[in-house]
Amino acid sequence: MTTAAKAKRTTRGVYRLVKQYVTKHQPREFKLVMLDDAVMRITTGVVDEDEHWYVVVRHDPELPRLLGQYSEKLMKIEDQIRKKEGIVVSLQSMLPPY
């Protein structure tokens, strides 16, 4: 694994990577907002295997009528990061209780 690839697999690296994709896919109807300290890594303990990241991405302002668009946008970003970067991220409105 290259140094650049390893850097992406840190909390800060994943945050920066997701922020790039969120910025690139920012919708016009509402704004996607990332929380600086809301990134969580889940792993089985085997190095570079079954690694999964949870990152909080909320929408601002609260627009309940656009929740479907919000969910679709997050799924599209997750899919692109998985395909282009090889990192599994789950973009959520809050972190899971671990």
Side-chain angles (χ1 to χ4, degrees), residues 32 54 72 94-95 97:
L32 296 174
Y54 287 96
E72 288 175 19
M94 57 194 273
L95 291 176

Side-chain angles (χ1 to χ4, degrees), residues 2-72:
T2 66
T3 303
K6 286 181 184 176
K8 288 180 185 175
R9 293 182 183 263
T10 65
T11 300
R12 181 180 225 93
V14 169
Y15 175 85
R16 287 180 182 158
L17 180 69
V18 171
K19 189 167 183 82
Q20 288 175 350
Y21 279 84
V22 166
T23 300
K24 181 179 176 181
H25 295 283
Q26 198 63 254
R28 283 182 273 138
E29 299 83 7
F30 56 93
K31 185 175 180 181
L32 296 174
V33 179
M34 293 182 62
L35 303 180
D36 293 340
D37 60 347
V39 177
M40 180 189 296
R41 178 177 174 249
I42 306 294
T43 183
T44 60
V46 179
V47 177
D48 296 333
E49 191 173 304
D50 296 330
E51 187 174 68
H52 190 101
W53 294 87
Y54 287 96
V55 181
V56 173
V57 179
R58 295 188 176 156
H59 54 88
D60 181 52
E62 292 288 329
L63 295 173
R65 63 186 176 84
L66 297 174
L67 285 179
Q69 291 179 26
Y70 164 72
S71 297
E72 288 175 19

Side-chain angles (χ1 to χ4, degrees), residues 78-95:
E78 290 171 352
D79 188 53
Q80 287 196 357
I81 292 172
R82 183 174 22 263
K83 288 178 181 175
K84 293 181 180 181
E85 309 293 338
I87 297 174
V88 178
V89 296
S90 181
L91 306 180
Q92 307 287 323
S93 61
M94 57 194 273
L95 291 176

